[in-house]
Amino acid sequence: MARRTGWVARTLAAVREDVWVRRCQRLLDAYAAEPSWEEGHRLLVRRPALLEERADVVIGELVAAAERVGLSEVAERYAYYRGILGRYREVGPERALRELTSDEDDAVIDLAEQATAAYERYHEGCGPDTLDTAVRGNEEVLARAVAVPTRVAALTNLGLMLLDRAERDGSAEDTERGLALLEDAVVRTPPGSAERKDCTVNLAGGLLQRHRVDGDTGALDRALVLLEPLAGAPAPAAAATDDPGAVVLWLNLGSVHYARYTRFGDQAELDAAIGCYRRAVAAVAGAQPWTSGRLLGNIATALSERYQRTGNQDDLDGALECIERTIGVTSEGSPERPARLALHAILLLERHDARGSLSDLDLAVEKFAAALRETPENSPERPLREGEFGTVLLARYQRTGELADLDESVAVLQRAVRGRGYEAEDEAVLWGQFGTSLRVRARRRHDRYDAGQAVAALRRAVTLATGTPSRAIDLNNLGGALRLQAELLGTRDPLTEAITAYRDALDHLPPGSPRHTAALGNLGTALLARAETARDKAELDEAVSALTAAVAGTDERAPDLAGRWCNLGHGLCVRHQRTGQARDAEAATAAYRGSCSRARLAGPEAGLLAGRAWGLWAHSRGAHAEASEAFGHASEAAERLMRTQSGREAVEVWLAEFLEVPAHAAYAQAATGDARAAAVQLERGRARSLSRALERGRAQLGLLAAVRPDLVERYRHATTRVTVLETAELAGVRPAATRAAES
């Protein structure tokens, strides 16, 4: 009997609960159908059941049920009235009705306008304090506002201000509170209204901000769900509407797609982002598109990324046009200006890599230096910006051979990686940049320690970049460090690991992109190094094929083409030595000649290395005229390198590379019967070495003059004589004083 009584009690409770749910739903529908807020208020006074806590639970379940079956409009309507009823419970019926029906007090409106003006000044570059002033002002507006429109505006403005402050300071607390305020603003606006659309767009922007702070992909998914229905069917691109709401909608939707691209690496997301950004531009009438700095900065970033994937020069040109216009409309002191200067520098560096203009490289260094000057020391962006500056210094070293740039690059990046609190992806970028600079310095100085440190740094970058598109780039760079380590240590294992890293990188880089071409060339070089020791014919053929494809995939204007021609020449040379095929010898000569002819575009180091490699190979074959031509290129490049060095140590490093060149060049010229030219080459090399040796002590002449002025005079006389010798040799004559002394 007791068991049956319990069953009956549970059944009756379920029936009553079902009745209660239906009653709440009927009351809610009746309240929503009232023609005015006053009539709805009278209904609640007569039937207060809707103001009970359990009614709020039921309405929440109705919202969830409508969402589950795809009735989004019903869910929005129930959620809207749930918020109003919640306000009734929170502040009381009379205050809630007054909020719905009253006009706002003029003093509150004035305060809101002052807060908005401060917010606008912040975006015009008036400093971080103006943002804090705006936040405090809006906090007061929210506390004093009565009318719903004023409260919704205050919720929205304060939410956006807190998100901006979170972006400035990296505050997760500001992000979460800003997001909650934007959620509240959405709920308090009528479904289907223009205000609801604007608030929803702002909420999606807040979700995007949370993703940037903590990497929450769920926030990205929800932002996409909120924005896609609002975007609707595509409109004609030419239909400029001058609609600020549409601009923000497409800007936020594009940013969501771009964030999804950076998270998942799907180019369809990148293409969608660019399409949305362009729709945002089309939503602003007349000349106004170019006044939206943030929009154009985003387009520039996305186009730059797509250029890296596809190598499409139009994307690179479009990115540069956008960022130049962006900087033109960005006021001095704007918090966004340093990031835009840095992006401009990155794009200039990419154009230099594609087309070889040294002016682009120098301007990139200038822009990065300006970006660093304008970035506060305590800014979370500063370490990343220093990392980018280190990369552009490395690029300039690779073009000019100036070792001071290389050392500064390593020092800047070392400071950057010592920072704390990075997101994993940002930290991966910094370690990748640091490892690459160390690898380049290790190769130039033949330094095993730097090579080992480079491998360690790049291993860390690969680990941190797991699951991101940048991992393939780090794998390619790790392969380079391992290949160098194998060369310096004389061991095979790092080389095998390098080949594995290159193959892994190629599997994840878009074919035809500049990065894919670079990795393909690197794989060919590594396979060639292993084939040279293992005498593996199949691997040697694969190496030559990869090196050939890398040359074919490189733009004629790209500085990297000189190095790739040189690597191909070496591969063909090795294969000729193995097989004796004449066509490989002819192709190797053509490849080396192609490398030397492009050395001015690539930089003097490329000319020195290519000319020397070609000359030694020609010498080994007894092709003396060819060797003379090759060593001529090497000598010219060495002279250019020496003239650009700013320090004694840098000069000595390059002298070590240069010393053998004049002797080889002289031998080749003598073998062709040009004894006079051979003598000039030998004298030039000797004079260059002596001249640089004499420069070592010049910094101490002031101290020496106080003790032994006679030695200072003798030193100056010797250096003057060397200068005369060098000048005469470059002119093709020998001074009379020298001839008399020798006779």
Side-chain angles (χ1 to χ4, degrees):
M1 186 68 183
R3 290 178 59 191
R4 183 177 179 185
T5 302
W7 176 82
V8 170
R10 287 195 299 275
T11 302
L12 289 173
V15 170
R16 285 195 297 271
E17 187 67 24
D18 187 59
V19 170
W20 169 246
V21 171
R22 290 200 301 272
R23 181 186 177 196
C24 281
Q25 188 171 3
R26 285 197 303 272
L27 281 173
L28 184 60
D29 289 339
Y31 177 70
E34 291 291 350
S36 67
W37 294 118
E38 290 84 358
E39 292 295 327
H41 178 76
R42 283 191 281 273
L43 174 64
L44 291 176
V45 171
R46 294 194 311 271
R47 309 286 295 275
L50 279 179
L51 299 180
E52 297 179 21
E53 290 289 344
R54 59 177 181 161
D56 182 67
V57 174
V58 169
I59 299 171
E61 292 172 351
L62 291 172
V63 171
E67 289 175 341
R68 281 196 300 272
V69 298
L71 298 175
S72 58
E73 291 183 3
V74 173
E76 287 179 0
R77 186 162 64 93
Y78 282 160
Y80 173 61
Y81 287 110
R82 185 189 184 195
I84 291 173
L85 296 171
R87 191 65 179 167
Y88 264 78
R89 287 190 298 275
E90 182 182 347
V91 301
E94 298 306 320
R95 168 66 187 259
L97 177 63
R98 194 163 75 253
E99 289 179 357
L100 291 167
T101 59
S102 299
D103 292 330
E104 191 56 74
D105 183 76
D106 287 344
V108 175
I109 293 174
D110 289 343
L111 183 60
E113 290 175 349
Q114 292 169 17
T116 301
Y119 190 40
E120 290 172 351
R121 288 197 303 275
Y122 167 72
H123 280 289
E124 290 169 358
C126 288
D129 291 346
T130 54
L131 177 58
D132 297 329
T133 299
V135 168
R136 288 192 297 271
N138 246 299
E139 294 273 19
E140 188 174 352
V141 171
L142 192 58
R144 293 173 55 183
V146 173
V148 166
T150 310
R151 290 189 60 79
V152 168
L155 288 167
T156 300
N157 290 338
L158 183 56
L160 293 173
M161 291 172 186
L162 289 171
L163 290 173
D164 272 351
R165 194 167 71 179
E167 191 168 4
R168 184 193 73 188
D169 301 336
S171 167
E173 181 181 349
D174 275 349
T175 298
E176 290 306 314
R177 184 165 177 239
L179 204 56
L181 291 170
L182 293 173
E183 293 262 19
D184 199 6
V186 170
V187 171
R188 293 181 186 280
T189 52
S193 66
E195 292 81 5
R196 168 64 71 100
K197 178 180 177 180
D198 290 343
C199 289
T200 302
V201 170
N202 289 330
L203 173 58
L207 291 164
L208 182 63
Q209 174 68 17
R210 186 167 74 182
H211 166 73
R212 285 197 289 263
V213 170
D214 60 18
D216 181 3
T217 55
L220 280 184
D221 293 339
R222 187 175 173 218
L224 196 61
V225 168
L226 290 172
L227 292 173
E228 282 189 326
L230 299 179
T241 61
D242 201 16
D243 179 359
V247 174
V248 179
L249 165 62
W250 290 110
L251 176 59
N252 283 352
L253 184 55
S255 297
V256 169
H257 280 299
Y258 188 79
R260 287 169 62 85
Y261 160 73
T262 59
R263 181 67 182 86
F264 304 115
D266 183 354
Q267 187 170 333
E269 296 282 4
L270 178 58
D271 293 339
I274 292 170
C276 289
Y277 291 147
R278 285 178 169 157
R279 288 291 303 277
V281 170
V284 187
Q288 292 305 307
W290 306 117
T291 64
S292 178
R294 178 170 293 184
L295 169 60
L296 289 169
N298 287 352
I299 297 177
T301 301
L303 287 171
S304 169
E305 184 64 30
R306 192 165 69 180
Y307 161 73
Q308 287 293 341
R309 290 182 66 96
T310 66
N312 187 322
Q313 296 288 318
D314 289 341
D315 281 342
L316 178 57
D317 292 337
L320 273 162
E321 180 186 3
C322 285
I323 198 61
E324 285 164 2
R325 290 176 180 262
T326 302
I327 292 172
V329 299
T330 305
S331 59
E332 295 283 346
S334 167
E336 294 173 328
R337 182 176 169 83
R340 292 170 184 172
L341 288 168
L343 178 57
H344 191 196
I346 291 170
L347 292 170
L348 288 165
L349 180 58
E350 288 175 348
R351 189 167 70 181
H352 162 265
D353 291 344
R355 302 174 192 173
S357 170
L358 188 57
S359 61
D360 278 345
L361 194 53
D362 290 336
L363 186 57
V365 173
E366 178 186 320
K367 294 290 182 182
F368 260 127
L372 277 174
R373 284 195 302 272
E374 296 185 27
T375 303
E377 289 288 340
N378 62 349
S379 168
E381 297 295 322
R382 188 172 181 87
L384 294 175
R385 209 148 285 151
E386 287 182 335
E388 292 165 342
F389 185 49
T391 299
V392 79
L393 287 168
L394 174 62
R396 190 164 70 176
Y397 156 74
Q398 290 171 321
R399 179 67 190 275
T400 66
E402 173 56 82
L403 286 166
D405 279 342
L406 178 57
D407 288 334
E408 187 178 358
S409 171
V410 172
V412 166
L413 287 162
Q414 190 167 40
R415 286 196 301 272
V417 297
R418 287 173 177 167
R420 294 290 184 270
Y422 303 126
E423 293 181 18
E425 191 169 355
D426 290 338
E427 190 175 1
V429 169
L430 287 172
W431 281 103
Q433 292 166 332
F434 180 46
T436 300
S437 282
L438 282 170
R439 173 183 62 78
V440 173
R441 190 169 73 176
R443 176 166 292 284
R444 177 47 38 227
R445 293 198 164 101
H446 309 285
D447 189 323
R448 294 181 179 183
Y449 178 77
D450 268 357
Q453 292 295 101
V455 169
L458 288 162
R459 286 193 198 282
R460 184 167 183 176
V462 168
T463 300
L464 289 166
T466 299
T468 70
S470 65
R471 182 173 180 272
I473 301 167
D474 293 324
L475 281 167
N476 182 40
N477 291 331
L478 174 60
L482 288 164
R483 179 159 53 90
L484 175 61
Q485 191 175 52
E487 179 183 325
L488 294 178
L489 297 178
T491 57
R492 186 181 175 88
D493 290 345
L495 188 57
T496 300
E497 188 181 349
I499 291 170
T500 301
Y502 287 139
R503 293 193 192 279
D504 194 358
L506 285 166
D507 287 342
H508 295 88
L509 289 168
S513 68
R515 287 169 177 162
H516 188 276
T517 302
L520 188 60
N522 291 337
L523 173 63
T525 305
L527 289 169
L528 179 61
R530 192 164 70 177
E532 283 188 87
T533 57
R535 304 191 69 80
D536 185 328
K537 176 66 165 57
E539 196 158 77
L540 177 57
D541 288 340
E542 184 185 357
V544 172
S545 295
L547 293 168
T548 302
V551 168
T554 305
D555 189 282
E556 280 289 330
R557 298 168 293 181
D560 288 337
L561 185 57
R564 289 171 191 166
W565 271 118
C566 183
N567 291 337
L568 176 57
H570 181 53
L572 291 163
C573 168
V574 171
R575 193 164 70 178
H576 167 71
Q577 291 168 341
R578 296 276 177 86
T579 66
Q581 292 183 6
R583 66 173 180 269
D584 278 344
E586 293 169 1
T589 297
Y592 280 132
R593 185 172 278 121
S595 178
C596 289
S597 69
R598 290 167 175 80
R600 282 200 171 273
L601 187 65
E605 180 180 2
L608 173 59
L609 299 180
R612 188 176 60 184
W614 179 20
L616 291 172
W617 181 58
H619 173 74
S620 71
R621 292 164 27 239
H624 300 302
E626 189 180 314
S628 177
E629 178 187 353
F631 285 124
H633 285 293
S635 295
E636 179 190 357
E639 291 289 342
R640 287 166 56 206
L641 270 171
M642 235 76 80
R643 287 195 298 268
T644 60
Q645 301 308 305
S646 58
R648 179 173 59 83
E649 182 187 0
V651 171
E652 289 174 354
V653 168
W654 287 118
L655 269 176
E657 300 286 348
F658 169 72
L659 285 177
E660 63 179 1
V661 171
H664 284 299
Y667 181 88
Q669 287 164 337
T672 61
D674 193 346
R676 182 177 182 281
V680 169
Q681 275 287 355
L682 285 174
E683 288 297 324
R684 178 180 287 133
R686 188 170 61 181
R688 171 64 66 188
S689 300
L690 178 58
S691 173
R692 293 303 178 182
L694 291 173
E695 286 180 0
R696 294 181 183 179
R698 284 181 180 171
Q700 305 298 326
L701 287 183
L703 297 175
L704 181 62
V707 182
R708 292 289 305 273
D710 58 317
L711 291 181
V712 171
E713 186 58 34
R714 288 169 60 189
Y715 179 88
R716 287 175 175 156
H717 176 74
T719 56
T720 300
R721 182 172 176 76
V722 168
T723 301
V724 170
L725 285 169
E726 286 187 316
T727 303
E729 286 166 4
L730 290 172
V733 299
R734 301 182 70 191
T738 304
R739 289 197 299 272
E742 289 177 351
S743 62

